Amino acid sequence: MLPSLHDTIAAVATPPGPGGVGVLRVSGPQALETAARIWRGRDPRTSPGGRFWHGWVVDPETGEAVDEALLLVFRGPRSYTGEDVVEIQTHGSPAVLGRVLRLLLAAGARPAAPGEFTLRAYLHGRMDLAQAESVLALVEAESETARRQALRGLTRELSQKIDALAERLLDLLAHIQALLDYPEEGVEPHEAERVIASVLAEVEALLATAGAGRRVREGARLALVGAPNAGKSSLLNALLGFERALVHDRPGTTRDYLEAALEIEGVPLVAVDTAGLRTTDDPVEAAGVERALAVAREADLILYLADRSQPRPDPP
Ligand SMILES: Nc1nc2c(ncn2[C@@H]2O[C@H](COP(=O)(O)OP(=O)(O)O)[C@@H](O)[C@H]2O)c(=O)[nH]1
Ligand SMILES: [Mg+2]
């Protein structure tokens, strides 16, 4: 069930742990009243939107000052959620943020569920689903490429493509309805088929880019495979810039596989170092070889390493 839109919600927006500044957000019909109850300074209820004020967070029961802070007022619908929103910037300690949040809850807000601010933005028509997804992608972006891709979603680049397709289908629907009512004026069936086929082709082309999007967000999986002593672990360490994997001239050193995240020219990768491929009587090493082959099967990219001073082995 969807949480109620009539509630006023509050949450700490900044990550847990100490920080120079911490941000709390309040959104909903009673956002300005709720904030006003714990604020000594310019009254948010009478403040215009798009303004910030300096003041103090206070405990309304005792009048005790909790922290010196900034308070930002956004009036709906010109806010992130489309509702009245107050942001309070305090010092970023867990003690301050926890206390201010408890005061906001005592003043009438309820704790926001995960993603609820963005859910409200969507329900109030401030963003579409592709944009809401992009907010999460941008918050979680771990590389420059992922950031850029998320921002393209946020600025409706994907949404515009979807809107254009939806519009062509709606247009077609209108023509088909016209055909039913006024047979002499509607579209020819073969024209309808042509439009549907072309929209479908574009949807499939968009879907095909989803895999690339996932690889940008999560990192493509790069399997390093090859014979023992081909230099797989050495290459992983060289790419990482530190000695992550054990390197030894004894063949069969790497037995299990080992993952490491790295970034090459802004593109995130998860490199997987594997056991060298060879037939062996050692059951542990044989299990490692099995795993190496499984890693290679699931990888987006396989880098097959070979020692050029050795005769070329038969690839598995
Ligand atoms: N000459 C030479 N030796 C290398 C190179 N890369 C790795 N080695 C050596 O080859 C041995 C096996 O390397 P390692 O990275 O453990 O190979 P792996 O079994 O494929 O993981 C080690 O003694 C490395 O120092 C290389 O490019 N040239
Ligand atoms: Mg190795």
Side-chain angles (χ1 to χ4, degrees):
M1 205 187 74
L2 282 180
S4 164
L5 283 173
H6 304 296
D7 299 345
T8 292
I9 55 174
V12 177
T14 38
V21 178
V23 176
L24 297 106
R25 281 196 296 191
V26 191
S27 178
Q30 299 293 314
L32 302 173
E33 286 77 3
T34 305
R37 266 179 223 135
I38 67 158
W39 185 247
R40 192 196 300 151
R42 174 71 152 81
D43 190 337
R45 289 170 297 184
T46 56
S47 162
R51 295 296 298 271
F52 70 91
W53 308 101
H54 170 257
W56 294 81
V57 175
V58 291
D59 183 334
E61 297 287 323
T62 60
E64 175 205 358
V66 174
D67 194 13
E68 189 177 10
L70 289 178
L71 181 141
L72 286 68
V73 177
F74 304 89
R75 287 187 175 267
R78 296 186 56 193
S79 71
Y80 181 76
T81 57
E83 306 171 328
D84 287 347
V85 171
V86 174
E87 264 185 39
I88 302 175
Q89 299 187 1
T90 63
H91 295 97
S93 76
V96 170
L97 291 166
R99 181 74 188 279
V100 179
L101 183 61
R102 285 195 299 277
L103 290 176
L104 287 168
L105 301 182
R110 74 160 163 82
E116 198 172 0
F117 288 93
T118 304
L119 173 66
R120 288 189 170 195
Y122 168 69
L123 292 174
H124 287 125
R126 296 292 288 172
M127 59 176 71
D128 59 37
L129 279 180
Q131 285 177 298
E133 251 181 28
S134 306
V135 171
L136 181 66
L138 193 56
V139 168
E140 291 182 342
E142 283 186 17
S143 68
E144 185 56 16
T145 317
R147 179 197 64 74
R148 236 181 287 130
Q149 176 187 284
L151 199 66
R152 277 205 299 273
L154 201 61
T155 54
R156 290 191 47 81
E157 213 169 282
L158 174 62
S159 311
Q160 278 166 5
K161 288 181 188 153
I162 295 170
D163 288 352
L165 293 175
E167 207 156 297
R168 285 171 63 190
L169 289 177
L170 275 176
D171 203 45
L172 179 64
L173 188 65
H175 278 100
I176 290 172
Q177 276 165 351
L179 180 71
L180 296 177
D181 294 340
Y182 313 100
E184 63 284 0
E185 280 178 28
V187 281
E188 300 284 329
H190 73 265
E191 171 64 11
E193 261 172 47
R194 196 191 57 77
V195 173
I196 290 171
S198 126
V199 168
L200 198 60
E202 280 186 50
V203 169
E204 270 161 11
L206 276 180
L207 278 175
T209 65
R214 178 191 62 77
R215 287 191 286 278
V216 164
R217 279 193 305 279
E218 296 165 14
R221 284 177 74 80
L222 169 72
L224 302 171
V225 290
N229 270 359
K232 301 176 293 296
S233 299
S234 303
L235 180 63
L236 178 77
N237 290 341
L239 287 172
L240 281 174
F242 64 94
E243 301 297 301
R244 172 74 172 81
L246 191 63
V247 168
H248 203 278
D249 57 11
R250 200 169 81 195
T253 303
T254 309
R255 297 196 146 193
D256 205 346
Y257 67 89
L258 184 156
E259 295 185 5
L262 55 117
E263 193 177 319
I264 298 177
E265 298 191 350
V267 179
L269 285 174
V270 179
V272 193
D273 183 23
T274 62
L277 304 174
R278 65 168 171 183
T279 29
T280 167
D281 294 333
D282 179 345
V284 178
E285 194 185 348
V289 170
E290 270 311 307
R291 291 193 153 196
L293 292 172
V295 166
R297 274 193 295 272
E298 285 157 20
D300 296 303
L301 276 169
I302 297 175
L303 197 55
Y304 184 80
L305 278 82
D307 183 345
R308 288 186 64 189
S309 65
Q310 298 292 314
R312 191 146 148 202
D314 296 327

